[in-house]
Amino acid sequence: QGSYALELSGSGGKEEIQSTSGLNAYPSLGGTFEAYHYTSRSGGSGVGRIGFGTQSETLEADGYYVELHKRTGEFTLAKIQGGSFTDLDTVAYSYDDQSWYRVETDWQDPITSTLYDDTDTQVARVSASDTTYTSGGISWFLWDAGVPTNPTVRYDDYELL
């Protein structure tokens, strides 16, 4: 997307940026938001997560995550609670390297996240009932998935709808 997109680059580890205060508004239960996601990698790895309901500004904080896993080709809705990662729903999808994807999340009960490609065609959808978190911050996450291939993940246009 834009030249001012948030970029995370990895080389053998995890990187995350969170915001739990300071913005005019954050997503919450009952709302809908979208964000754009891009991953470029050499090799076969790279996991990008868009977080919401983020409870603190620590690595892999409690909250919900929409995960795009390039190596496994999975689109996942997950939560972290008390340090434990739980997949709430996962579907397979075909990932086009070096393309922007739009993730739209309708934070209701159930939570539904839909993945669209750069032509605005729906690629995948995940949904699950969970009300552990009803508000919180946002986060962006990169993990090279244990295969140091120096992935780059970009995020842009995190917007409440």
mmCIF file of all heavy atoms in Angstrom, residues 93-146:
data_model
loop_
_atom_site.group_PDB
_atom_site.id
_atom_site.type_symbol
_atom_site.label_atom_id
_atom_site.label_comp_id
_atom_site.label_asym_id
_atom_site.label_seq_id
_atom_site.Cartn_x
_atom_site.Cartn_y
_atom_site.Cartn_z
ATOM 1 N N TYR A 93 -5.402 -21.568 2.635
ATOM 2 C CA TYR A 93 -5.558 -20.592 1.561
ATOM 3 C C TYR A 93 -4.288 -20.580 0.744
ATOM 4 O O TYR A 93 -3.241 -21.069 1.181
ATOM 5 C CB TYR A 93 -5.886 -19.195 2.109
ATOM 6 C CG TYR A 93 -4.712 -18.484 2.749
ATOM 7 C CD1 TYR A 93 -4.091 -17.432 2.093
ATOM 8 C CD2 TYR A 93 -4.213 -18.874 3.980
ATOM 9 C CE1 TYR A 93 -3.013 -16.778 2.667
ATOM 10 C CE2 TYR A 93 -3.136 -18.232 4.556
ATOM 11 C CZ TYR A 93 -2.540 -17.191 3.888
ATOM 12 O OH TYR A 93 -1.470 -16.556 4.450
ATOM 13 N N SER A 94 -4.347 -20.025 -0.435
ATOM 14 C CA SER A 94 -3.193 -19.934 -1.320
ATOM 15 C C SER A 94 -2.639 -18.523 -1.243
ATOM 16 O O SER A 94 -3.339 -17.558 -1.542
ATOM 17 C CB SER A 94 -3.613 -20.267 -2.748
ATOM 18 O OG SER A 94 -2.514 -20.151 -3.612
ATOM 19 N N TYR A 95 -1.386 -18.409 -0.827
ATOM 20 C CA TYR A 95 -0.767 -17.111 -0.588
ATOM 21 C C TYR A 95 0.077 -16.692 -1.781
ATOM 22 O O TYR A 95 0.926 -17.449 -2.239
ATOM 23 C CB TYR A 95 0.115 -17.199 0.659
ATOM 24 C CG TYR A 95 0.409 -15.853 1.277
ATOM 25 C CD1 TYR A 95 -0.320 -15.407 2.356
ATOM 26 C CD2 TYR A 95 1.407 -15.044 0.778
ATOM 27 C CE1 TYR A 95 -0.072 -14.175 2.927
ATOM 28 C CE2 TYR A 95 1.663 -13.813 1.343
ATOM 29 C CZ TYR A 95 0.932 -13.383 2.419
ATOM 30 O OH TYR A 95 1.177 -12.167 2.974
ATOM 31 N N ASP A 96 -0.146 -15.504 -2.274
ATOM 32 C CA ASP A 96 0.647 -14.941 -3.353
ATOM 33 C C ASP A 96 1.713 -14.051 -2.734
ATOM 34 O O ASP A 96 1.402 -13.015 -2.143
ATOM 35 C CB ASP A 96 -0.265 -14.151 -4.294
ATOM 36 C CG ASP A 96 0.474 -13.623 -5.510
ATOM 37 O OD1 ASP A 96 1.593 -14.085 -5.797
ATOM 38 O OD2 ASP A 96 -0.077 -12.736 -6.180
ATOM 39 N N ASP A 97 2.973 -14.464 -2.850
ATOM 40 C CA ASP A 97 4.076 -13.710 -2.259
ATOM 41 C C ASP A 97 4.148 -12.301 -2.845
ATOM 42 O O ASP A 97 3.876 -12.090 -4.019
ATOM 43 C CB ASP A 97 5.392 -14.444 -2.520
ATOM 44 C CG ASP A 97 6.530 -13.944 -1.653
ATOM 45 O OD1 ASP A 97 6.266 -13.536 -0.507
ATOM 46 O OD2 ASP A 97 7.679 -13.962 -2.119
ATOM 47 N N GLN A 98 4.485 -11.366 -2.003
ATOM 48 C CA GLN A 98 4.670 -9.963 -2.362
ATOM 49 C C GLN A 98 3.391 -9.314 -2.885
ATOM 50 O O GLN A 98 3.421 -8.533 -3.836
ATOM 51 C CB GLN A 98 5.826 -9.814 -3.349
ATOM 52 C CG GLN A 98 7.139 -10.321 -2.779
ATOM 53 C CD GLN A 98 8.314 -10.082 -3.694
ATOM 54 O OE1 GLN A 98 8.218 -9.369 -4.682
ATOM 55 N NE2 GLN A 98 9.442 -10.676 -3.368
ATOM 56 N N SER A 99 2.284 -9.645 -2.242
ATOM 57 C CA SER A 99 1.007 -9.018 -2.568
ATOM 58 C C SER A 99 0.369 -8.503 -1.291
ATOM 59 O O SER A 99 0.564 -9.062 -0.213
ATOM 60 C CB SER A 99 0.051 -10.023 -3.225
ATOM 61 O OG SER A 99 0.515 -10.387 -4.495
ATOM 62 N N TRP A 100 -0.409 -7.455 -1.416
ATOM 63 C CA TRP A 100 -1.155 -6.927 -0.292
ATOM 64 C C TRP A 100 -2.459 -7.698 -0.124
ATOM 65 O O TRP A 100 -3.125 -8.025 -1.114
ATOM 66 C CB TRP A 100 -1.474 -5.445 -0.493
ATOM 67 C CG TRP A 100 -0.299 -4.562 -0.226
ATOM 68 C CD1 TRP A 100 0.577 -4.060 -1.136
ATOM 69 C CD2 TRP A 100 0.121 -4.074 1.048
ATOM 70 N NE1 TRP A 100 1.515 -3.294 -0.515
ATOM 71 C CE2 TRP A 100 1.267 -3.284 0.832
ATOM 72 C CE3 TRP A 100 -0.348 -4.231 2.345
ATOM 73 C CZ2 TRP A 100 1.944 -2.645 1.875
ATOM 74 C CZ3 TRP A 100 0.323 -3.599 3.380
ATOM 75 C CH2 TRP A 100 1.450 -2.815 3.142
ATOM 76 N N TYR A 101 -2.812 -7.969 1.117
ATOM 77 C CA TYR A 101 -4.080 -8.603 1.467
ATOM 78 C C TYR A 101 -4.806 -7.706 2.459
ATOM 79 O O TYR A 101 -4.185 -7.087 3.315
ATOM 80 C CB TYR A 101 -3.861 -9.979 2.110
ATOM 81 C CG TYR A 101 -3.443 -11.018 1.107
ATOM 82 C CD1 TYR A 101 -2.117 -11.145 0.725
ATOM 83 C CD2 TYR A 101 -4.380 -11.861 0.535
ATOM 84 C CE1 TYR A 101 -1.733 -12.092 -0.202
ATOM 85 C CE2 TYR A 101 -4.011 -12.815 -0.393
ATOM 86 C CZ TYR A 101 -2.682 -12.922 -0.763
ATOM 87 O OH TYR A 101 -2.306 -13.855 -1.695
ATOM 88 N N ARG A 102 -6.121 -7.666 2.331
ATOM 89 C CA ARG A 102 -6.940 -6.919 3.279
ATOM 90 C C ARG A 102 -7.614 -7.909 4.215
ATOM 91 O O ARG A 102 -8.196 -8.897 3.779
ATOM 92 C CB ARG A 102 -8.001 -6.095 2.538
ATOM 93 C CG ARG A 102 -8.919 -5.294 3.467
ATOM 94 C CD ARG A 102 -9.803 -4.319 2.690
ATOM 95 N NE ARG A 102 -10.699 -4.961 1.770
ATOM 96 C CZ ARG A 102 -11.949 -5.329 2.065
ATOM 97 N NH1 ARG A 102 -12.436 -5.118 3.283
ATOM 98 N NH2 ARG A 102 -12.719 -5.897 1.144
ATOM 99 N N VAL A 103 -7.512 -7.632 5.512
ATOM 100 C CA VAL A 103 -8.162 -8.460 6.518
ATOM 101 C C VAL A 103 -9.249 -7.610 7.169
ATOM 102 O O VAL A 103 -8.958 -6.568 7.752
ATOM 103 C CB VAL A 103 -7.157 -8.944 7.595
ATOM 104 C CG1 VAL A 103 -7.884 -9.750 8.663
ATOM 105 C CG2 VAL A 103 -6.035 -9.745 6.955
ATOM 106 N N GLU A 104 -10.496 -8.064 7.044
ATOM 107 C CA GLU A 104 -11.620 -7.368 7.661
ATOM 108 C C GLU A 104 -12.145 -8.239 8.796
ATOM 109 O O GLU A 104 -12.454 -9.407 8.590
ATOM 110 C CB GLU A 104 -12.725 -7.108 6.642
ATOM 111 C CG GLU A 104 -13.896 -6.327 7.230
ATOM 112 C CD GLU A 104 -14.941 -6.003 6.187
ATOM 113 O OE1 GLU A 104 -14.616 -5.286 5.221
ATOM 114 O OE2 GLU A 104 -16.066 -6.489 6.337
ATOM 115 N N THR A 105 -12.227 -7.657 9.994
ATOM 116 C CA THR A 105 -12.666 -8.406 11.163
ATOM 117 C C THR A 105 -13.923 -7.769 11.739
ATOM 118 O O THR A 105 -13.934 -6.584 12.059
ATOM 119 C CB THR A 105 -11.555 -8.462 12.225
ATOM 120 O OG1 THR A 105 -10.424 -9.123 11.661
ATOM 121 C CG2 THR A 105 -12.020 -9.212 13.467
ATOM 122 N N ASP A 106 -14.955 -8.588 11.860
ATOM 123 C CA ASP A 106 -16.213 -8.188 12.474
ATOM 124 C C ASP A 106 -16.195 -8.783 13.889
ATOM 125 O O ASP A 106 -16.384 -9.991 14.067
ATOM 126 C CB ASP A 106 -17.381 -8.729 11.661
ATOM 127 C CG ASP A 106 -18.719 -8.203 12.131
ATOM 128 O OD1 ASP A 106 -18.751 -7.178 12.840
ATOM 129 O OD2 ASP A 106 -19.741 -8.822 11.785
ATOM 130 N N TRP A 107 -15.922 -7.922 14.876
ATOM 131 C CA TRP A 107 -15.747 -8.376 16.254
ATOM 132 C C TRP A 107 -17.105 -8.419 16.953
ATOM 133 O O TRP A 107 -17.488 -7.515 17.670
ATOM 134 C CB TRP A 107 -14.765 -7.469 16.973
ATOM 135 C CG TRP A 107 -14.316 -7.955 18.314
ATOM 136 C CD1 TRP A 107 -14.711 -9.076 18.986
ATOM 137 C CD2 TRP A 107 -13.369 -7.317 19.160
ATOM 138 N NE1 TRP A 107 -14.053 -9.180 20.181
ATOM 139 C CE2 TRP A 107 -13.226 -8.095 20.322
ATOM 140 C CE3 TRP A 107 -12.621 -6.146 19.056
ATOM 141 C CZ2 TRP A 107 -12.376 -7.752 21.365
ATOM 142 C CZ3 TRP A 107 -11.779 -5.811 20.095
ATOM 143 C CH2 TRP A 107 -11.646 -6.608 21.230
ATOM 144 N N GLN A 108 -17.827 -9.461 16.683
ATOM 145 C CA GLN A 108 -19.119 -9.749 17.302
ATOM 146 C C GLN A 108 -18.951 -11.069 18.059
ATOM 147 O O GLN A 108 -17.839 -11.501 18.302
ATOM 148 C CB GLN A 108 -20.200 -9.880 16.228
ATOM 149 C CG GLN A 108 -20.274 -8.745 15.226
ATOM 150 C CD GLN A 108 -20.786 -7.450 15.818
ATOM 151 O OE1 GLN A 108 -21.588 -7.441 16.746
ATOM 152 N NE2 GLN A 108 -20.331 -6.331 15.278
ATOM 153 N N ASP A 109 -20.019 -11.712 18.374
ATOM 154 C CA ASP A 109 -19.980 -13.093 18.841
ATOM 155 C C ASP A 109 -20.900 -13.881 17.925
ATOM 156 O O ASP A 109 -22.121 -13.802 18.091
ATOM 157 C CB ASP A 109 -20.427 -13.213 20.301
ATOM 158 C CG ASP A 109 -20.253 -14.626 20.835
ATOM 159 O OD1 ASP A 109 -19.457 -15.386 20.245
ATOM 160 O OD2 ASP A 109 -20.915 -14.970 21.828
ATOM 161 N N PRO A 110 -20.355 -14.558 16.916
ATOM 162 C CA PRO A 110 -18.952 -14.930 16.757
ATOM 163 C C PRO A 110 -18.099 -13.822 16.119
ATOM 164 O O PRO A 110 -18.613 -12.921 15.458
ATOM 165 C CB PRO A 110 -19.016 -16.136 15.825
ATOM 166 C CG PRO A 110 -20.219 -15.887 14.973
ATOM 167 C CD PRO A 110 -21.200 -15.190 15.888
ATOM 168 N N ILE A 111 -16.788 -13.938 16.324
ATOM 169 C CA ILE A 111 -15.797 -13.098 15.650
ATOM 170 C C ILE A 111 -15.603 -13.685 14.252
ATOM 171 O O ILE A 111 -15.409 -14.895 14.111
ATOM 172 C CB ILE A 111 -14.446 -13.114 16.394
ATOM 173 C CG1 ILE A 111 -14.612 -12.672 17.843
ATOM 174 C CG2 ILE A 111 -13.427 -12.256 15.655
ATOM 175 C CD1 ILE A 111 -13.398 -12.985 18.717
ATOM 176 N N THR A 112 -15.633 -12.830 13.230
ATOM 177 C CA THR A 112 -15.422 -13.301 11.863
ATOM 178 C C THR A 112 -14.359 -12.434 11.198
ATOM 179 O O THR A 112 -14.487 -11.210 11.190
ATOM 180 C CB THR A 112 -16.723 -13.235 11.042
ATOM 181 O OG1 THR A 112 -17.720 -14.029 11.697
ATOM 182 C CG2 THR A 112 -16.520 -13.738 9.630
ATOM 183 N N SER A 113 -13.329 -13.087 10.657
ATOM 184 C CA SER A 113 -12.281 -12.378 9.914
ATOM 185 C C SER A 113 -12.260 -12.915 8.485
ATOM 186 O O SER A 113 -12.235 -14.128 8.269
ATOM 187 C CB SER A 113 -10.913 -12.573 10.556
ATOM 188 O OG SER A 113 -10.847 -11.892 11.782
ATOM 189 N N THR A 114 -12.252 -11.985 7.538
ATOM 190 C CA THR A 114 -12.275 -12.347 6.128
ATOM 191 C C THR A 114 -11.025 -11.790 5.458
ATOM 192 O O THR A 114 -10.659 -10.637 5.675
ATOM 193 C CB THR A 114 -13.536 -11.779 5.447
ATOM 194 O OG1 THR A 114 -14.691 -12.204 6.198
ATOM 195 C CG2 THR A 114 -13.658 -12.272 4.024
ATOM 196 N N LEU A 115 -10.394 -12.620 4.640
ATOM 197 C CA LEU A 115 -9.174 -12.258 3.931
ATOM 198 C C LEU A 115 -9.506 -12.011 2.466
ATOM 199 O O LEU A 115 -10.157 -12.848 1.819
ATOM 200 C CB LEU A 115 -8.152 -13.400 4.050
ATOM 201 C CG LEU A 115 -6.798 -13.204 3.397
ATOM 202 C CD1 LEU A 115 -6.026 -12.077 4.086
ATOM 203 C CD2 LEU A 115 -5.991 -14.504 3.448
ATOM 204 N N TYR A 116 -9.079 -10.846 1.944
ATOM 205 C CA TYR A 116 -9.288 -10.478 0.556
ATOM 206 C C TYR A 116 -7.944 -10.256 -0.121
ATOM 207 O O TYR A 116 -7.020 -9.703 0.497
ATOM 208 C CB TYR A 116 -10.097 -9.177 0.454
ATOM 209 C CG TYR A 116 -11.478 -9.268 1.044
ATOM 210 C CD1 TYR A 116 -11.708 -8.937 2.374
ATOM 211 C CD2 TYR A 116 -12.555 -9.664 0.260
ATOM 212 C CE1 TYR A 116 -12.982 -9.019 2.914
ATOM 213 C CE2 TYR A 116 -13.842 -9.743 0.798
ATOM 214 C CZ TYR A 116 -14.039 -9.422 2.131
ATOM 215 O OH TYR A 116 -15.294 -9.505 2.675
ATOM 216 N N ASP A 117 -7.823 -10.654 -1.397
ATOM 217 C CA ASP A 117 -6.581 -10.417 -2.124
ATOM 218 C C ASP A 117 -6.567 -8.998 -2.694
ATOM 219 O O ASP A 117 -7.471 -8.204 -2.427
ATOM 220 C CB ASP A 117 -6.348 -11.484 -3.194
ATOM 221 C CG ASP A 117 -7.352 -11.438 -4.343
ATOM 222 O OD1 ASP A 117 -8.103 -10.436 -4.487
ATOM 223 O OD2 ASP A 117 -7.397 -12.415 -5.105
ATOM 224 N N ASP A 118 -5.535 -8.701 -3.489
ATOM 225 C CA ASP A 118 -5.376 -7.336 -3.999
ATOM 226 C C ASP A 118 -6.390 -6.955 -5.074
ATOM 227 O O ASP A 118 -6.442 -5.807 -5.500
ATOM 228 C CB ASP A 118 -3.948 -7.086 -4.474
ATOM 229 C CG ASP A 118 -3.503 -8.038 -5.572
ATOM 230 O OD1 ASP A 118 -4.271 -8.955 -5.937
ATOM 231 O OD2 ASP A 118 -2.369 -7.878 -6.057
ATOM 232 N N THR A 119 -7.224 -7.910 -5.517
ATOM 233 C CA THR A 119 -8.324 -7.590 -6.432
ATOM 234 C C THR A 119 -9.645 -7.500 -5.678
ATOM 235 O O THR A 119 -10.701 -7.420 -6.298
ATOM 236 C CB THR A 119 -8.449 -8.628 -7.563
ATOM 237 O OG1 THR A 119 -8.866 -9.885 -7.004
ATOM 238 C CG2 THR A 119 -7.145 -8.780 -8.322
ATOM 239 N N ASP A 120 -9.575 -7.553 -4.342
ATOM 240 C CA ASP A 120 -10.723 -7.501 -3.440
ATOM 241 C C ASP A 120 -11.626 -8.730 -3.565
ATOM 242 O O ASP A 120 -12.819 -8.678 -3.306
ATOM 243 C CB ASP A 120 -11.536 -6.216 -3.629
ATOM 244 C CG ASP A 120 -12.144 -5.753 -2.301
ATOM 245 O OD1 ASP A 120 -11.517 -5.982 -1.251
ATOM 246 O OD2 ASP A 120 -13.240 -5.184 -2.323
ATOM 247 N N THR A 121 -11.014 -9.851 -3.939
ATOM 248 C CA THR A 121 -11.706 -11.133 -3.999
ATOM 249 C C THR A 121 -11.500 -11.864 -2.679
ATOM 250 O O THR A 121 -10.373 -11.929 -2.173
ATOM 251 C CB THR A 121 -11.151 -11.998 -5.152
ATOM 252 O OG1 THR A 121 -11.351 -11.300 -6.378
ATOM 253 C CG2 THR A 121 -11.832 -13.360 -5.206
ATOM 254 N N GLN A 122 -12.578 -12.402 -2.110
ATOM 255 C CA GLN A 122 -12.454 -13.133 -0.852
ATOM 256 C C GLN A 122 -11.607 -14.384 -1.066
ATOM 257 O O GLN A 122 -11.860 -15.175 -1.965
ATOM 258 C CB GLN A 122 -13.828 -13.518 -0.318
ATOM 259 C CG GLN A 122 -13.751 -14.256 0.999
ATOM 260 C CD GLN A 122 -15.105 -14.616 1.558
ATOM 261 O OE1 GLN A 122 -16.025 -13.803 1.517
ATOM 262 N NE2 GLN A 122 -15.222 -15.814 2.076
ATOM 263 N N VAL A 123 -10.597 -14.549 -0.202
ATOM 264 C CA VAL A 123 -9.679 -15.678 -0.281
ATOM 265 C C VAL A 123 -9.983 -16.700 0.810
ATOM 266 O O VAL A 123 -9.887 -17.907 0.587
ATOM 267 C CB VAL A 123 -8.214 -15.182 -0.166
ATOM 268 C CG1 VAL A 123 -7.245 -16.336 -0.120
ATOM 269 C CG2 VAL A 123 -7.889 -14.226 -1.293
ATOM 270 N N ALA A 124 -10.327 -16.217 1.994
ATOM 271 C CA ALA A 124 -10.564 -17.115 3.127
ATOM 272 C C ALA A 124 -11.388 -16.404 4.186
ATOM 273 O O ALA A 124 -11.433 -15.169 4.232
ATOM 274 C CB ALA A 124 -9.240 -17.584 3.720
ATOM 275 N N ARG A 125 -12.029 -17.215 5.052
ATOM 276 C CA ARG A 125 -12.805 -16.654 6.162
ATOM 277 C C ARG A 125 -12.698 -17.601 7.348
ATOM 278 O O ARG A 125 -12.786 -18.813 7.192
ATOM 279 C CB ARG A 125 -14.264 -16.481 5.770
ATOM 280 C CG ARG A 125 -15.140 -16.021 6.955
ATOM 281 C CD ARG A 125 -16.554 -15.766 6.543
ATOM 282 N NE ARG A 125 -16.560 -14.453 5.884
ATOM 283 C CZ ARG A 125 -17.602 -13.929 5.285
ATOM 284 N NH1 ARG A 125 -18.729 -14.579 5.227
ATOM 285 N NH2 ARG A 125 -17.533 -12.741 4.731
ATOM 286 N N VAL A 126 -12.493 -17.014 8.543
ATOM 287 C CA VAL A 126 -12.477 -17.779 9.784
ATOM 288 C C VAL A 126 -13.481 -17.154 10.738
ATOM 289 O O VAL A 126 -13.736 -15.950 10.687
ATOM 290 C CB VAL A 126 -11.073 -17.826 10.436
ATOM 291 C CG1 VAL A 126 -10.136 -18.719 9.633
ATOM 292 C CG2 VAL A 126 -10.480 -16.433 10.585
ATOM 293 N N SER A 127 -14.065 -17.993 11.618
ATOM 294 C CA SER A 127 -15.070 -17.500 12.539
ATOM 295 C C SER A 127 -15.110 -18.384 13.770
ATOM 296 O O SER A 127 -14.943 -19.603 13.672
ATOM 297 C CB SER A 127 -16.443 -17.505 11.849
ATOM 298 O OG SER A 127 -17.426 -16.942 12.685
ATOM 299 N N ALA A 128 -15.321 -17.764 14.936
ATOM 300 C CA ALA A 128 -15.419 -18.525 16.183
ATOM 301 C C ALA A 128 -16.130 -17.687 17.237
ATOM 302 O O ALA A 128 -16.015 -16.467 17.260
ATOM 303 C CB ALA A 128 -14.029 -18.908 16.683
ATOM 304 N N SER A 129 -16.853 -18.366 18.121
ATOM 305 C CA SER A 129 -17.494 -17.704 19.262
ATOM 306 C C SER A 129 -16.511 -17.649 20.418
ATOM 307 O O SER A 129 -15.989 -18.677 20.847
ATOM 308 C CB SER A 129 -18.745 -18.475 19.698
ATOM 309 O OG SER A 129 -19.781 -18.260 18.790
ATOM 310 N N ASP A 130 -16.243 -16.436 20.890
ATOM 311 C CA ASP A 130 -15.377 -16.240 22.047
ATOM 312 C C ASP A 130 -15.555 -14.807 22.525
ATOM 313 O O ASP A 130 -15.503 -13.883 21.719
ATOM 314 C CB ASP A 130 -13.905 -16.490 21.700
ATOM 315 C CG ASP A 130 -13.045 -16.591 22.939
ATOM 316 O OD1 ASP A 130 -12.763 -15.554 23.576
ATOM 317 O OD2 ASP A 130 -12.656 -17.717 23.287
ATOM 318 N N THR A 131 -15.780 -14.616 23.803
ATOM 319 C CA THR A 131 -15.924 -13.264 24.363
ATOM 320 C C THR A 131 -14.974 -13.054 25.541
ATOM 321 O O THR A 131 -15.263 -12.275 26.439
ATOM 322 C CB THR A 131 -17.378 -13.001 24.802
ATOM 323 O OG1 THR A 131 -17.773 -14.012 25.735
ATOM 324 C CG2 THR A 131 -18.325 -12.992 23.610
ATOM 325 N N THR A 132 -13.825 -13.724 25.494
ATOM 326 C CA THR A 132 -12.837 -13.555 26.562
ATOM 327 C C THR A 132 -12.426 -12.091 26.675
ATOM 328 O O THR A 132 -12.297 -11.552 27.768
ATOM 329 C CB THR A 132 -11.599 -14.426 26.291
ATOM 330 O OG1 THR A 132 -12.017 -15.790 26.168
ATOM 331 C CG2 THR A 132 -10.567 -14.288 27.401
ATOM 332 N N TYR A 133 -12.221 -11.441 25.539
ATOM 333 C CA TYR A 133 -11.819 -10.035 25.506
ATOM 334 C C TYR A 133 -12.909 -9.227 24.807
ATOM 335 O O TYR A 133 -13.465 -9.666 23.805
ATOM 336 C CB TYR A 133 -10.483 -9.873 24.781
ATOM 337 C CG TYR A 133 -9.415 -10.789 25.329
ATOM 338 C CD1 TYR A 133 -8.967 -11.878 24.592
ATOM 339 C CD2 TYR A 133 -8.885 -10.589 26.598
ATOM 340 C CE1 TYR A 133 -8.012 -12.739 25.101
ATOM 341 C CE2 TYR A 133 -7.933 -11.451 27.115
ATOM 342 C CZ TYR A 133 -7.498 -12.518 26.368
ATOM 343 O OH TYR A 133 -6.557 -13.378 26.878
ATOM 344 N N THR A 134 -13.209 -8.063 25.335
ATOM 345 C CA THR A 134 -14.226 -7.196 24.731
ATOM 346 C C THR A 134 -13.648 -5.851 24.303
ATOM 347 O O THR A 134 -14.325 -5.078 23.635
ATOM 348 C CB THR A 134 -15.395 -6.965 25.705
ATOM 349 O OG1 THR A 134 -14.889 -6.371 26.903
ATOM 350 C CG2 THR A 134 -16.099 -8.283 26.031
ATOM 351 N N SER A 135 -12.418 -5.579 24.694
ATOM 352 C CA SER A 135 -11.736 -4.344 24.302
ATOM 353 C C SER A 135 -10.242 -4.552 24.509
ATOM 354 O O SER A 135 -9.806 -5.556 25.064
ATOM 355 C CB SER A 135 -12.234 -3.156 25.134
ATOM 356 O OG SER A 135 -11.907 -3.350 26.497
ATOM 357 N N GLY A 136 -9.476 -3.591 24.082
ATOM 358 C CA GLY A 136 -8.022 -3.657 24.234
ATOM 359 C C GLY A 136 -7.359 -2.912 23.099
ATOM 360 O O GLY A 136 -8.006 -2.189 22.338
ATOM 361 N N GLY A 137 -6.076 -3.105 22.970
ATOM 362 C CA GLY A 137 -5.301 -2.400 21.965
ATOM 363 C C GLY A 137 -5.193 -3.166 20.663
ATOM 364 O O GLY A 137 -5.963 -4.085 20.390
ATOM 365 N N ILE A 138 -4.209 -2.766 19.856
ATOM 366 C CA ILE A 138 -3.933 -3.405 18.574
ATOM 367 C C ILE A 138 -2.467 -3.794 18.537
ATOM 368 O O ILE A 138 -1.647 -3.245 19.287
ATOM 369 C CB ILE A 138 -4.284 -2.479 17.391
ATOM 370 C CG1 ILE A 138 -3.535 -1.146 17.496
ATOM 371 C CG2 ILE A 138 -5.788 -2.252 17.328
ATOM 372 C CD1 ILE A 138 -3.774 -0.189 16.334
ATOM 373 N N SER A 139 -2.130 -4.747 17.669
ATOM 374 C CA SER A 139 -0.729 -5.145 17.553
ATOM 375 C C SER A 139 -0.440 -5.687 16.163
ATOM 376 O O SER A 139 -1.340 -6.090 15.432
ATOM 377 C CB SER A 139 -0.373 -6.193 18.617
ATOM 378 O OG SER A 139 -1.102 -7.377 18.429
ATOM 379 N N TRP A 140 0.831 -5.685 15.836
ATOM 380 C CA TRP A 140 1.339 -6.228 14.587
ATOM 381 C C TRP A 140 2.504 -7.127 14.951
ATOM 382 O O TRP A 140 3.350 -6.764 15.762
ATOM 383 C CB TRP A 140 1.821 -5.108 13.668
ATOM 384 C CG TRP A 140 0.766 -4.107 13.366
ATOM 385 C CD1 TRP A 140 -0.111 -4.125 12.323
ATOM 386 C CD2 TRP A 140 0.467 -2.925 14.116
ATOM 387 N NE1 TRP A 140 -0.935 -3.045 12.380
ATOM 388 C CE2 TRP A 140 -0.607 -2.287 13.471
ATOM 389 C CE3 TRP A 140 0.993 -2.345 15.275
ATOM 390 C CZ2 TRP A 140 -1.155 -1.099 13.933
ATOM 391 C CZ3 TRP A 140 0.441 -1.175 15.740
ATOM 392 C CH2 TRP A 140 -0.620 -0.562 15.067
ATOM 393 N N PHE A 141 2.583 -8.292 14.344
ATOM 394 C CA PHE A 141 3.524 -9.323 14.767
ATOM 395 C C PHE A 141 4.183 -9.983 13.554
ATOM 396 O O PHE A 141 3.543 -10.194 12.523
ATOM 397 C CB PHE A 141 2.750 -10.373 15.576
ATOM 398 C CG PHE A 141 3.566 -11.540 16.042
ATOM 399 C CD1 PHE A 141 4.230 -11.491 17.252
ATOM 400 C CD2 PHE A 141 3.641 -12.704 15.285
ATOM 401 C CE1 PHE A 141 4.964 -12.581 17.706
ATOM 402 C CE2 PHE A 141 4.369 -13.790 15.725
ATOM 403 C CZ PHE A 141 5.033 -13.731 16.935
ATOM 404 N N LEU A 142 5.451 -10.334 13.709
ATOM 405 C CA LEU A 142 6.190 -11.098 12.703
ATOM 406 C C LEU A 142 6.968 -12.188 13.406
ATOM 407 O O LEU A 142 7.621 -11.951 14.428
ATOM 408 C CB LEU A 142 7.173 -10.202 11.943
ATOM 409 C CG LEU A 142 8.269 -10.927 11.150
ATOM 410 C CD1 LEU A 142 7.676 -11.689 9.975
ATOM 411 C CD2 LEU A 142 9.321 -9.953 10.687
ATOM 412 N N TRP A 143 6.908 -13.381 12.863
ATOM 413 C CA TRP A 143 7.748 -14.491 13.319
ATOM 414 C C TRP A 143 8.257 -15.198 12.080
ATOM 415 O O TRP A 143 7.493 -15.447 11.145
ATOM 416 C CB TRP A 143 6.925 -15.448 14.186
ATOM 417 C CG TRP A 143 7.661 -16.671 14.648
ATOM 418 C CD1 TRP A 143 8.945 -16.746 15.088
ATOM 419 C CD2 TRP A 143 7.145 -17.998 14.731
ATOM 420 N NE1 TRP A 143 9.253 -18.027 15.444
ATOM 421 C CE2 TRP A 143 8.163 -18.825 15.234
ATOM 422 C CE3 TRP A 143 5.904 -18.565 14.441
ATOM 423 C CZ2 TRP A 143 7.997 -20.189 15.437
ATOM 424 C CZ3 TRP A 143 5.739 -19.918 14.644
ATOM 425 C CH2 TRP A 143 6.772 -20.707 15.150
ATOM 426 N N ASP A 144 9.535 -15.539 12.073
ATOM 427 C CA ASP A 144 10.073 -16.237 10.905
ATOM 428 C C ASP A 144 9.759 -17.727 10.943
ATOM 429 O O ASP A 144 10.243 -18.492 10.122
ATOM 430 C CB ASP A 144 11.564 -15.982 10.741
ATOM 431 C CG ASP A 144 12.392 -16.588 11.852
ATOM 432 O OD1 ASP A 144 11.856 -17.372 12.665
ATOM 433 O OD2 ASP A 144 13.586 -16.293 11.913
ATOM 434 N N ALA A 145 8.924 -18.156 11.899
ATOM 435 C CA ALA A 145 8.420 -19.534 12.012
ATOM 436 C C ALA A 145 9.531 -20.555 12.181
ATOM 437 O O ALA A 145 9.416 -21.690 11.750
ATOM 438 C CB ALA A 145 7.518 -19.881 10.830
ATOM 439 N N GLY A 146 10.619 -20.146 12.813
ATOM 440 C CA GLY A 146 11.702 -21.072 13.094
ATOM 441 C C GLY A 146 12.598 -21.374 11.908
ATOM 442 O O GLY A 146 13.521 -22.172 12.003
#
